[in-house]
Amino acid sequence: METIDTQPTLVIGLGGTGVKVVKKLKKQLLAKSPPSLAEEGSAISFFCLDTEPYSKELHGPLTKSEYMAMGIGVNLRKFVQFNLMMERDYGIKTIWPMGPDGQPYALPTTSGSMNRLIGRAAFFSQVQQIYEKIQNLISDFSRMDIVKEPNFLSLQIHTVSSLCGETGSALIFDVPYLCKI
């Protein structure tokens, strides 16, 4: 009976810091233990979320399928305005700053200092696609030959982010929740 040396693992990087850490981890695994990667038929996969577009030069060794740019091509200003008018809260109302007149203090712009809010708005503007991608990654593990072995260990999912950063800190609770449901 063959033993499994690698714990089946999905590593999810959130925001700029999470992406940097996951890139470094993948680079180290490629250099020291390439057979451990899912793309080599083993059990470690990666997925990253951030608000900047994918670029092989900036995001390598991650592949385009391991990276999702959120909010690209989405009118976040319109998305936030619409969600603030809804009766129910879909993840925007409770965190968006409101002025004393009950109007939004600020709406997304391309200027800095709103990156955490922009990251959260970008996440919720594409939450269905993100959920489907995560669920597909999880189900991909169940189709791998390695999970059919008697010693198979259950899948572990790790999220990597900075708690005091921008985009990643805005997603630190929502992404694990999507992994669980």
Side-chain angles (χ1 to χ4, degrees):
M1 195 174 297
E2 184 179 320
T3 60
I4 299 171
D5 297 322
T6 305
Q7 173 75 41
T9 305
L10 172 59
V11 182
I12 303 175
L14 307 174
T17 301
V19 171
K20 285 178 189 170
V21 170
V22 171
K23 281 174 34 182
K24 188 169 186 162
L25 175 61
K26 184 171 182 183
K27 189 175 182 178
Q28 291 287 322
L29 286 170
L30 283 168
K32 296 179 182 175
S33 183
S36 64
L37 300 174
E39 59 202 55
E40 299 294 327
S42 192
I44 299 176
S45 289
F46 303 98
F47 179 53
C48 291
L49 292 166
D50 200 4
T51 54
E52 66 180 24
Y54 175 82
S55 153
K56 189 171 184 164
E57 296 78 37
L58 292 175
H59 299 101
L62 296 171
T63 64
K64 198 168 185 168
S65 66
E66 295 173 322
Y67 184 90
M68 181 181 274
M70 304 177 301
I72 305 297
V74 175
N75 185 333
L76 293 178
R77 186 180 188 87
K78 224 178 202 180
F79 175 79
V80 169
Q81 284 176 319
F82 175 77
N83 275 273
L84 290 175
M85 292 187 309
M86 302 285 292
E87 278 191 39
R88 292 188 60 202
D89 181 17
Y90 295 98
I92 298 296
K93 263 186 185 177
T94 54
I95 58 101
W96 208 267
M98 302 299 268
D101 60 356
Q103 295 300 309
Y105 176 72
L107 289 170
T109 64
T110 54
S111 66
S113 78
M114 291 190 65
N115 289 345
R116 185 174 294 150
L117 292 172
I118 289 170
R120 190 157 176 87
F123 172 79
F124 279 103
S125 74
Q126 294 180 272
V127 71
Q128 186 61 40
Q129 295 98 315
I130 294 167
Y131 173 73
E132 288 169 5
K133 175 70 175 180
I134 290 170
Q135 292 306 309
N136 286 337
L137 288 166
I138 292 170
S139 67
D140 284 351
F141 276 100
S142 66
R143 289 191 288 274
M144 294 173 73
D145 288 337
I146 196 169
V147 301
K148 296 176 176 90
E149 296 187 23
N151 296 349
F152 175 69
L153 303 167
S154 62
L155 172 65
Q156 290 197 10
I157 301 173
H158 299 271
T159 54
V160 181
S161 175
S162 169
L163 288 175
C164 57
E166 297 168 349
T167 302
S169 64
L171 309 179
I172 197 69
F173 295 111
D174 298 305
V175 171
Y177 178 77
L178 290 183
C179 294
K180 186 175 167 86
I181 58 173

